[in-house]
Amino acid sequence: MSRVCSICNKGQLSGNKVSHSNRKYRRSWGVNVQKVRVLNDNGSTQSVYVCTKCLKKSGKVKRA
């Protein structure tokens, strides 16, 4: 559960890896999440996993 963004709930994706000879087998893509310290509503800090897309957008995450 640690590779899921706590803001947008973005998780792991799955699909096929296709070789040059067109053989297909399953693979998965992980999300680029970073562990950051976030300010809560009551003023305390909490360490959560946040994807880099949510970190870039202003207003989504208040960092401590």
Short mmCIF file of all heavy atoms in Angstrom, two decimals:
data_model
loop_
_atom_site.label_atom_id
_atom_site.label_comp_id
_atom_site.label_asym_id
_atom_site.label_seq_id
_atom_site.Cartn_x
_atom_site.Cartn_y
_atom_site.Cartn_z
N MET A 1 0.82 -1.20 0.00
CA MET A 1 0.00 0.00 0.00
C MET A 1 0.85 1.25 0.00
O MET A 1 0.34 2.35 -0.11
CB MET A 1 -0.91 -0.05 1.23
CG MET A 1 -2.03 0.95 1.24
SD MET A 1 -3.19 0.61 -0.06
CE MET A 1 -4.31 1.95 0.13
N SER A 2 2.16 1.10 0.10
CA SER A 2 3.00 2.28 0.22
C SER A 2 3.25 2.96 -1.13
O SER A 2 3.71 4.09 -1.15
CB SER A 2 4.32 1.91 0.86
OG SER A 2 5.02 1.01 0.03
N ARG A 3 2.96 2.32 -2.24
CA ARG A 3 3.21 2.91 -3.55
C ARG A 3 1.96 3.53 -4.14
O ARG A 3 1.72 3.46 -5.34
CB ARG A 3 3.78 1.87 -4.50
CG ARG A 3 5.10 1.29 -4.09
CD ARG A 3 6.22 2.27 -4.11
NE ARG A 3 6.50 2.69 -5.46
CZ ARG A 3 7.43 3.57 -5.80
NH1 ARG A 3 8.15 4.13 -4.86
NH2 ARG A 3 7.62 3.91 -7.03
N VAL A 4 1.13 4.13 -3.28
CA VAL A 4 -0.11 4.78 -3.71
C VAL A 4 -0.07 6.21 -3.22
O VAL A 4 0.29 6.48 -2.08
CB VAL A 4 -1.34 4.04 -3.14
CG1 VAL A 4 -2.61 4.76 -3.50
CG2 VAL A 4 -1.38 2.62 -3.65
N CYS A 5 -0.45 7.15 -4.08
CA CYS A 5 -0.50 8.56 -3.70
C CYS A 5 -1.66 8.78 -2.73
O CYS A 5 -2.78 8.33 -2.97
CB CYS A 5 -0.69 9.43 -4.94
SG CYS A 5 -0.84 11.19 -4.59
N SER A 6 -1.38 9.47 -1.62
CA SER A 6 -2.42 9.69 -0.63
C SER A 6 -3.34 10.84 -1.00
O SER A 6 -4.40 10.99 -0.41
CB SER A 6 -1.79 9.96 0.73
OG SER A 6 -1.04 11.15 0.68
N ILE A 7 -3.00 11.63 -2.01
CA ILE A 7 -3.82 12.76 -2.43
C ILE A 7 -4.81 12.33 -3.51
O ILE A 7 -6.02 12.50 -3.38
CB ILE A 7 -2.95 13.93 -2.95
CG1 ILE A 7 -1.91 14.34 -1.91
CG2 ILE A 7 -3.82 15.10 -3.37
CD1 ILE A 7 -2.48 14.88 -0.63
N CYS A 8 -4.31 11.73 -4.59
CA CYS A 8 -5.18 11.40 -5.73
C CYS A 8 -5.43 9.90 -5.87
O CYS A 8 -6.10 9.48 -6.82
CB CYS A 8 -4.57 11.95 -7.01
SG CYS A 8 -2.99 11.21 -7.46
N ASN A 9 -4.89 9.07 -4.95
CA ASN A 9 -5.06 7.61 -4.97
C ASN A 9 -4.57 6.96 -6.26
O ASN A 9 -5.08 5.93 -6.68
CB ASN A 9 -6.52 7.21 -4.71
CG ASN A 9 -6.97 7.59 -3.32
OD1 ASN A 9 -6.20 7.49 -2.38
ND2 ASN A 9 -8.19 8.05 -3.21
N LYS A 10 -3.57 7.57 -6.88
CA LYS A 10 -2.97 6.97 -8.07
C LYS A 10 -2.13 5.78 -7.65
O LYS A 10 -1.36 5.87 -6.70
CB LYS A 10 -2.10 7.99 -8.78
CG LYS A 10 -1.54 7.51 -10.11
CD LYS A 10 -0.58 8.51 -10.69
CE LYS A 10 -1.28 9.75 -11.14
NZ LYS A 10 -0.37 10.68 -11.80
N GLY A 11 -2.30 4.65 -8.34
CA GLY A 11 -1.60 3.42 -7.96
C GLY A 11 -0.87 2.81 -9.14
O GLY A 11 -0.61 3.45 -10.15
N GLN A 12 -0.55 1.54 -8.98
CA GLN A 12 0.22 0.83 -9.97
C GLN A 12 -0.62 0.52 -11.20
O GLN A 12 -1.80 0.17 -11.08
CB GLN A 12 0.73 -0.46 -9.34
CG GLN A 12 1.77 -1.19 -10.13
CD GLN A 12 2.25 -2.41 -9.36
OE1 GLN A 12 1.45 -3.18 -8.87
NE2 GLN A 12 3.54 -2.56 -9.26
N LEU A 13 -0.02 0.62 -12.38
CA LEU A 13 -0.68 0.27 -13.64
C LEU A 13 -0.08 -1.02 -14.17
O LEU A 13 1.08 -1.32 -13.91
CB LEU A 13 -0.50 1.38 -14.67
CG LEU A 13 -1.18 2.70 -14.39
CD1 LEU A 13 -0.76 3.74 -15.42
CD2 LEU A 13 -2.67 2.54 -14.39
N SER A 14 -0.86 -1.76 -14.96
CA SER A 14 -0.35 -2.99 -15.54
C SER A 14 -0.68 -3.02 -17.03
O SER A 14 -1.59 -2.34 -17.49
CB SER A 14 -0.95 -4.21 -14.85
OG SER A 14 -2.35 -4.22 -15.02
N GLY A 15 0.10 -3.81 -17.75
CA GLY A 15 -0.11 -3.93 -19.19
C GLY A 15 0.82 -4.98 -19.75
O GLY A 15 1.34 -5.82 -19.02
N ASN A 16 1.03 -4.93 -21.05
CA ASN A 16 1.88 -5.91 -21.72
C ASN A 16 3.19 -5.27 -22.14
O ASN A 16 3.22 -4.12 -22.60
CB ASN A 16 1.20 -6.44 -22.99
CG ASN A 16 0.09 -7.39 -22.67
OD1 ASN A 16 0.15 -8.15 -21.71
ND2 ASN A 16 -0.96 -7.36 -23.48
N LYS A 17 4.28 -6.01 -21.96
CA LYS A 17 5.55 -5.64 -22.58
C LYS A 17 5.63 -6.42 -23.88
O LYS A 17 5.39 -7.64 -23.89
CB LYS A 17 6.71 -6.00 -21.66
CG LYS A 17 8.04 -5.56 -22.21
CD LYS A 17 9.12 -5.67 -21.19
CE LYS A 17 10.40 -5.10 -21.79
NZ LYS A 17 11.46 -5.03 -20.79
N VAL A 18 5.92 -5.74 -24.97
CA VAL A 18 5.92 -6.37 -26.28
C VAL A 18 7.34 -6.36 -26.82
O VAL A 18 7.96 -5.31 -26.95
CB VAL A 18 4.97 -5.63 -27.25
CG1 VAL A 18 4.94 -6.32 -28.61
CG2 VAL A 18 3.58 -5.56 -26.67
N SER A 19 7.87 -7.53 -27.11
CA SER A 19 9.23 -7.65 -27.62
C SER A 19 9.26 -7.35 -29.13
O SER A 19 8.23 -7.14 -29.77
CB SER A 19 9.79 -9.04 -27.35
OG SER A 19 9.08 -9.99 -28.12
N HIS A 20 10.46 -7.36 -29.67
CA HIS A 20 10.61 -7.11 -31.11
C HIS A 20 9.95 -8.20 -31.94
O HIS A 20 9.44 -7.94 -33.04
CB HIS A 20 12.10 -7.01 -31.46
CG HIS A 20 12.37 -6.72 -32.89
ND1 HIS A 20 12.08 -5.52 -33.48
CD2 HIS A 20 12.88 -7.50 -33.87
CE1 HIS A 20 12.41 -5.56 -34.77
NE2 HIS A 20 12.91 -6.75 -35.02
N SER A 21 9.91 -9.43 -31.42
CA SER A 21 9.26 -10.52 -32.13
C SER A 21 7.77 -10.61 -31.82
O SER A 21 7.12 -11.59 -32.15
CB SER A 21 9.93 -11.85 -31.76
OG SER A 21 9.78 -12.08 -30.39
N ASN A 22 7.23 -9.57 -31.18
CA ASN A 22 5.81 -9.40 -30.87
C ASN A 22 5.30 -10.40 -29.83
O ASN A 22 4.12 -10.69 -29.77
CB ASN A 22 4.95 -9.48 -32.14
CG ASN A 22 3.66 -8.71 -32.00
OD1 ASN A 22 3.56 -7.79 -31.18
ND2 ASN A 22 2.65 -9.08 -32.77
N ARG A 23 6.20 -10.92 -28.99
CA ARG A 23 5.77 -11.73 -27.85
C ARG A 23 5.30 -10.78 -26.76
O ARG A 23 5.92 -9.75 -26.52
CB ARG A 23 6.89 -12.60 -27.33
CG ARG A 23 7.23 -13.72 -28.23
CD ARG A 23 8.25 -14.62 -27.59
NE ARG A 23 8.49 -15.77 -28.43
CZ ARG A 23 8.81 -16.95 -27.97
NH1 ARG A 23 8.94 -17.14 -26.67
NH2 ARG A 23 9.04 -17.95 -28.78
N LYS A 24 4.24 -11.15 -26.09
CA LYS A 24 3.67 -10.28 -25.06
C LYS A 24 3.68 -10.99 -23.72
O LYS A 24 3.35 -12.16 -23.63
CB LYS A 24 2.23 -9.91 -25.43
CG LYS A 24 2.13 -9.17 -26.73
CD LYS A 24 0.70 -9.06 -27.19
CE LYS A 24 0.62 -8.44 -28.55
NZ LYS A 24 1.06 -9.34 -29.62
N TYR A 25 4.10 -10.25 -22.69
CA TYR A 25 3.98 -10.76 -21.33
C TYR A 25 3.69 -9.59 -20.39
O TYR A 25 3.97 -8.44 -20.69
CB TYR A 25 5.21 -11.55 -20.89
CG TYR A 25 6.53 -10.84 -21.01
CD1 TYR A 25 7.05 -10.15 -19.92
CD2 TYR A 25 7.26 -10.86 -22.18
CE1 TYR A 25 8.26 -9.50 -20.01
CE2 TYR A 25 8.46 -10.21 -22.28
CZ TYR A 25 8.96 -9.54 -21.19
OH TYR A 25 10.16 -8.88 -21.29
N ARG A 26 3.09 -9.93 -19.26
CA ARG A 26 2.58 -8.91 -18.35
C ARG A 26 3.71 -8.21 -17.61
O ARG A 26 4.72 -8.82 -17.26
CB ARG A 26 1.64 -9.55 -17.33
CG ARG A 26 0.44 -10.24 -17.93
CD ARG A 26 -0.46 -9.31 -18.70
NE ARG A 26 -1.24 -8.47 -17.79
CZ ARG A 26 -2.10 -7.56 -18.20
NH1 ARG A 26 -2.29 -7.34 -19.48
NH2 ARG A 26 -2.77 -6.85 -17.34
N ARG A 27 3.54 -6.92 -17.40
CA ARG A 27 4.46 -6.14 -16.59
C ARG A 27 3.68 -5.06 -15.88
O ARG A 27 2.49 -4.86 -16.15
CB ARG A 27 5.58 -5.54 -17.43
CG ARG A 27 5.10 -4.55 -18.47
CD ARG A 27 6.16 -3.58 -18.85
NE ARG A 27 6.44 -2.69 -17.71
CZ ARG A 27 7.28 -1.69 -17.76
NH1 ARG A 27 7.93 -1.44 -18.86
NH2 ARG A 27 7.49 -0.93 -16.73
N SER A 28 4.33 -4.36 -14.97
CA SER A 28 3.64 -3.32 -14.22
C SER A 28 4.50 -2.07 -14.17
O SER A 28 5.73 -2.14 -14.23
CB SER A 28 3.31 -3.79 -12.81
OG SER A 28 4.49 -4.13 -12.13
N TRP A 29 3.83 -0.94 -14.09
CA TRP A 29 4.49 0.36 -13.98
C TRP A 29 4.16 0.94 -12.61
O TRP A 29 2.99 1.05 -12.24
CB TRP A 29 3.96 1.33 -15.05
CG TRP A 29 4.44 1.03 -16.42
CD1 TRP A 29 5.55 1.54 -17.04
CD2 TRP A 29 3.83 0.17 -17.37
NE1 TRP A 29 5.67 1.04 -18.30
CE2 TRP A 29 4.61 0.18 -18.53
CE3 TRP A 29 2.70 -0.63 -17.35
CZ2 TRP A 29 4.30 -0.55 -19.65
CZ3 TRP A 29 2.38 -1.38 -18.46
CH2 TRP A 29 3.17 -1.32 -19.61
N GLY A 30 5.19 1.31 -11.89
CA GLY A 30 4.98 1.92 -10.58
C GLY A 30 4.77 3.42 -10.71
O GLY A 30 5.08 4.03 -11.74
N VAL A 31 4.24 4.01 -9.67
CA VAL A 31 3.97 5.44 -9.64
C VAL A 31 5.17 6.13 -9.00
O VAL A 31 5.77 5.60 -8.06
CB VAL A 31 2.69 5.73 -8.83
CG1 VAL A 31 2.39 7.20 -8.80
CG2 VAL A 31 1.54 4.98 -9.42
N ASN A 32 5.52 7.31 -9.49
CA ASN A 32 6.62 8.08 -8.93
C ASN A 32 6.12 8.82 -7.69
O ASN A 32 5.64 9.95 -7.78
CB ASN A 32 7.15 9.06 -9.98
CG ASN A 32 8.41 9.73 -9.54
OD1 ASN A 32 8.98 9.40 -8.51
ND2 ASN A 32 8.85 10.70 -10.32
N VAL A 33 6.19 8.15 -6.54
CA VAL A 33 5.73 8.76 -5.29
C VAL A 33 6.93 9.08 -4.42
O VAL A 33 7.94 8.37 -4.43
CB VAL A 33 4.74 7.86 -4.52
CG1 VAL A 33 3.44 7.72 -5.25
CG2 VAL A 33 5.33 6.52 -4.23
N GLN A 34 6.83 10.17 -3.68
CA GLN A 34 7.86 10.62 -2.78
C GLN A 34 7.27 10.71 -1.38
O GLN A 34 6.10 11.07 -1.23
CB GLN A 34 8.39 12.00 -3.19
CG GLN A 34 8.81 12.09 -4.64
CD GLN A 34 10.01 11.22 -4.95
OE1 GLN A 34 10.93 11.14 -4.15
NE2 GLN A 34 9.99 10.58 -6.11
N LYS A 35 8.07 10.40 -0.38
CA LYS A 35 7.61 10.52 1.01
C LYS A 35 7.90 11.95 1.47
O LYS A 35 9.06 12.37 1.53
CB LYS A 35 8.33 9.52 1.89
CG LYS A 35 7.71 9.37 3.25
CD LYS A 35 8.31 8.21 4.00
CE LYS A 35 7.49 7.91 5.22
NZ LYS A 35 8.00 6.74 5.94
N VAL A 36 6.85 12.70 1.75
CA VAL A 36 6.98 14.10 2.15
C VAL A 36 6.24 14.32 3.46
O VAL A 36 5.32 13.58 3.81
CB VAL A 36 6.44 15.07 1.07
CG1 VAL A 36 7.26 14.99 -0.19
CG2 VAL A 36 5.00 14.81 0.79
N ARG A 37 6.65 15.36 4.16
CA ARG A 37 5.97 15.75 5.39
C ARG A 37 4.93 16.81 5.03
O ARG A 37 5.23 17.82 4.42
CB ARG A 37 6.96 16.30 6.40
CG ARG A 37 7.88 15.21 6.92
CD ARG A 37 8.91 15.76 7.85
NE ARG A 37 8.25 16.41 8.99
CZ ARG A 37 8.87 16.80 10.08
NH1 ARG A 37 10.17 16.62 10.18
NH2 ARG A 37 8.23 17.37 11.06
N VAL A 38 3.68 16.56 5.43
CA VAL A 38 2.55 17.38 5.04
C VAL A 38 1.92 17.97 6.30
O VAL A 38 1.82 17.29 7.32
CB VAL A 38 1.52 16.53 4.26
CG1 VAL A 38 0.29 17.33 3.92
CG2 VAL A 38 2.14 15.97 3.01
N LEU A 39 1.50 19.23 6.21
CA LEU A 39 0.77 19.85 7.31
C LEU A 39 -0.68 19.40 7.30
O LEU A 39 -1.34 19.44 6.26
CB LEU A 39 0.83 21.37 7.19
CG LEU A 39 2.11 22.06 7.60
CD1 LEU A 39 2.03 23.54 7.27
CD2 LEU A 39 2.36 21.88 9.08
N ASN A 40 -1.20 18.97 8.44
CA ASN A 40 -2.61 18.60 8.58
C ASN A 40 -3.45 19.84 8.85
O ASN A 40 -2.94 20.94 9.01
CB ASN A 40 -2.79 17.59 9.72
CG ASN A 40 -2.29 16.22 9.33
OD1 ASN A 40 -2.12 15.94 8.17
ND2 ASN A 40 -2.06 15.38 10.31
N ASP A 41 -4.75 19.64 8.92
CA ASP A 41 -5.67 20.74 9.21
C ASP A 41 -5.50 21.27 10.63
O ASP A 41 -5.70 22.45 10.88
CB ASP A 41 -7.12 20.29 9.01
CG ASP A 41 -7.40 19.97 7.55
OD1 ASP A 41 -6.72 20.54 6.68
OD2 ASP A 41 -8.30 19.15 7.30
N ASN A 42 -5.12 20.38 11.56
CA ASN A 42 -4.98 20.82 12.95
C ASN A 42 -3.58 21.36 13.26
O ASN A 42 -3.29 21.66 14.40
CB ASN A 42 -5.32 19.67 13.91
CG ASN A 42 -4.47 18.44 13.65
OD1 ASN A 42 -3.58 18.46 12.83
ND2 ASN A 42 -4.77 17.37 14.35
N GLY A 43 -2.71 21.48 12.27
CA GLY A 43 -1.39 22.08 12.46
C GLY A 43 -0.26 21.10 12.68
O GLY A 43 0.89 21.49 12.71
N SER A 44 -0.56 19.81 12.84
CA SER A 44 0.49 18.82 13.03
C SER A 44 1.02 18.34 11.68
O SER A 44 0.39 18.55 10.63
CB SER A 44 -0.04 17.65 13.84
OG SER A 44 -1.07 17.00 13.13
N THR A 45 2.17 17.68 11.70
CA THR A 45 2.76 17.18 10.47
C THR A 45 2.59 15.67 10.40
O THR A 45 2.47 14.98 11.41
CB THR A 45 4.25 17.52 10.39
OG1 THR A 45 4.91 16.94 11.51
CG2 THR A 45 4.46 19.01 10.38
N GLN A 46 2.58 15.16 9.17
CA GLN A 46 2.41 13.74 8.93
C GLN A 46 3.22 13.38 7.70
O GLN A 46 3.26 14.13 6.73
CB GLN A 46 0.94 13.42 8.72
CG GLN A 46 0.63 11.97 8.52
CD GLN A 46 -0.85 11.72 8.24
OE1 GLN A 46 -1.61 12.66 8.02
NE2 GLN A 46 -1.25 10.47 8.25
N SER A 47 3.90 12.23 7.73
CA SER A 47 4.65 11.75 6.58
C SER A 47 3.73 10.89 5.71
O SER A 47 3.21 9.88 6.18
CB SER A 47 5.85 10.94 7.02
OG SER A 47 6.78 11.77 7.66
N VAL A 48 3.55 11.30 4.47
CA VAL A 48 2.70 10.56 3.54
C VAL A 48 3.41 10.43 2.20
O VAL A 48 4.37 11.14 1.91
CB VAL A 48 1.33 11.25 3.34
CG1 VAL A 48 0.51 11.23 4.60
CG2 VAL A 48 1.50 12.65 2.84
N TYR A 49 2.94 9.49 1.39
CA TYR A 49 3.45 9.32 0.04
C TYR A 49 2.59 10.13 -0.93
O TYR A 49 1.38 10.00 -0.94
CB TYR A 49 3.42 7.85 -0.37
CG TYR A 49 4.48 7.02 0.31
CD1 TYR A 49 4.19 6.27 1.42
CD2 TYR A 49 5.78 7.01 -0.19
CE1 TYR A 49 5.16 5.51 2.05
CE2 TYR A 49 6.75 6.26 0.43
CZ TYR A 49 6.44 5.51 1.54
OH TYR A 49 7.41 4.77 2.15
N VAL A 50 3.25 10.98 -1.73
CA VAL A 50 2.56 11.86 -2.67
C VAL A 50 3.23 11.72 -4.03
O VAL A 50 4.46 11.70 -4.12
CB VAL A 50 2.61 13.33 -2.20
CG1 VAL A 50 1.92 14.24 -3.18
CG2 VAL A 50 2.01 13.47 -0.82
N CYS A 51 2.44 11.61 -5.09
CA CYS A 51 3.01 11.52 -6.43
C CYS A 51 3.56 12.88 -6.85
O CYS A 51 3.16 13.92 -6.34
CB CYS A 51 1.99 10.99 -7.43
SG CYS A 51 0.63 12.09 -7.80
N THR A 52 4.48 12.88 -7.78
CA THR A 52 5.16 14.11 -8.17
C THR A 52 4.22 15.06 -8.91
O THR A 52 4.44 16.26 -8.89
CB THR A 52 6.37 13.80 -9.05
OG1 THR A 52 5.96 12.97 -10.13
CG2 THR A 52 7.42 13.08 -8.25
N LYS A 53 3.19 14.54 -9.53
CA LYS A 53 2.22 15.41 -10.20
C LYS A 53 1.45 16.25 -9.18
O LYS A 53 1.17 17.42 -9.40
CB LYS A 53 1.26 14.57 -11.03
CG LYS A 53 0.43 15.35 -12.00
CD LYS A 53 -0.32 14.43 -12.93
CE LYS A 53 -1.07 15.22 -13.97
NZ LYS A 53 -1.78 14.36 -14.91
N CYS A 54 1.11 15.64 -8.04
CA CYS A 54 0.42 16.40 -6.98
C CYS A 54 1.37 17.37 -6.29
O CYS A 54 0.94 18.40 -5.79
CB CYS A 54 -0.18 15.45 -5.96
SG CYS A 54 -1.59 14.52 -6.58
N LEU A 55 2.65 17.04 -6.24
CA LEU A 55 3.62 17.96 -5.63
C LEU A 55 3.81 19.20 -6.48
O LEU A 55 4.01 20.30 -5.96
CB LEU A 55 4.97 17.26 -5.44
CG LEU A 55 5.09 16.34 -4.24
CD1 LEU A 55 6.44 15.65 -4.26
CD2 LEU A 55 4.92 17.11 -2.96
N LYS A 56 3.77 19.05 -7.79
CA LYS A 56 4.00 20.18 -8.70
C LYS A 56 2.82 21.15 -8.71
O LYS A 56 3.01 22.35 -8.80
CB LYS A 56 4.24 19.68 -10.12
CG LYS A 56 5.57 19.03 -10.33
CD LYS A 56 5.70 18.55 -11.76
CE LYS A 56 6.94 17.69 -11.93
NZ LYS A 56 7.04 17.18 -13.30
N LYS A 57 1.61 20.62 -8.62
CA LYS A 57 0.43 21.48 -8.66
C LYS A 57 0.32 22.27 -7.38
O LYS A 57 0.39 21.73 -6.29
CB LYS A 57 -0.83 20.64 -8.86
CG LYS A 57 -0.91 20.01 -10.22
CD LYS A 57 -2.21 19.27 -10.38
CE LYS A 57 -2.30 18.65 -11.75
NZ LYS A 57 -3.53 17.91 -11.93
N SER A 58 0.17 23.58 -7.51
CA SER A 58 0.10 24.42 -6.31
C SER A 58 -1.25 24.27 -5.64
O SER A 58 -2.29 24.18 -6.28
CB SER A 58 0.33 25.87 -6.69
OG SER A 58 -0.67 26.32 -7.58
N GLY A 59 -1.23 24.21 -4.31
CA GLY A 59 -2.46 24.13 -3.55
C GLY A 59 -2.89 22.73 -3.17
O GLY A 59 -3.72 22.56 -2.30
N LYS A 60 -2.33 21.70 -3.81
CA LYS A 60 -2.73 20.33 -3.47
C LYS A 60 -2.08 19.86 -2.19
O LYS A 60 -2.69 19.17 -1.39
CB LYS A 60 -2.37 19.38 -4.61
CG LYS A 60 -3.27 19.48 -5.81
CD LYS A 60 -3.75 18.12 -6.17
CE LYS A 60 -4.75 18.22 -7.30
NZ LYS A 60 -5.33 16.95 -7.60
N VAL A 61 -0.80 20.23 -1.97
CA VAL A 61 -0.05 19.74 -0.82
C VAL A 61 0.58 20.93 -0.10
O VAL A 61 1.22 21.77 -0.71
CB VAL A 61 1.06 18.77 -1.26
CG1 VAL A 61 1.89 18.31 -0.08
CG2 VAL A 61 0.48 17.57 -1.99
N LYS A 62 0.35 21.01 1.22
CA LYS A 62 1.02 22.00 2.06
C LYS A 62 2.18 21.30 2.74
O LYS A 62 1.97 20.52 3.67
CB LYS A 62 0.04 22.57 3.10
CG LYS A 62 -1.14 23.28 2.51
CD LYS A 62 -0.77 24.65 2.07
CE LYS A 62 -2.02 25.40 1.66
NZ LYS A 62 -1.75 26.67 1.09
N ARG A 63 3.40 21.57 2.30
CA ARG A 63 4.56 20.90 2.86
C ARG A 63 4.99 21.54 4.16
O ARG A 63 4.83 22.74 4.37
CB ARG A 63 5.70 20.93 1.87
CG ARG A 63 5.41 20.08 0.64
CD ARG A 63 6.57 20.00 -0.26
NE ARG A 63 7.56 19.09 0.29
CZ ARG A 63 8.55 18.57 -0.43
NH1 ARG A 63 8.69 18.90 -1.67
NH2 ARG A 63 9.40 17.77 0.13
N ALA A 64 5.54 20.70 5.04
CA ALA A 64 6.01 21.19 6.34
C ALA A 64 7.49 21.52 6.28
O ALA A 64 8.23 21.01 5.52
CB ALA A 64 5.77 20.15 7.41
#
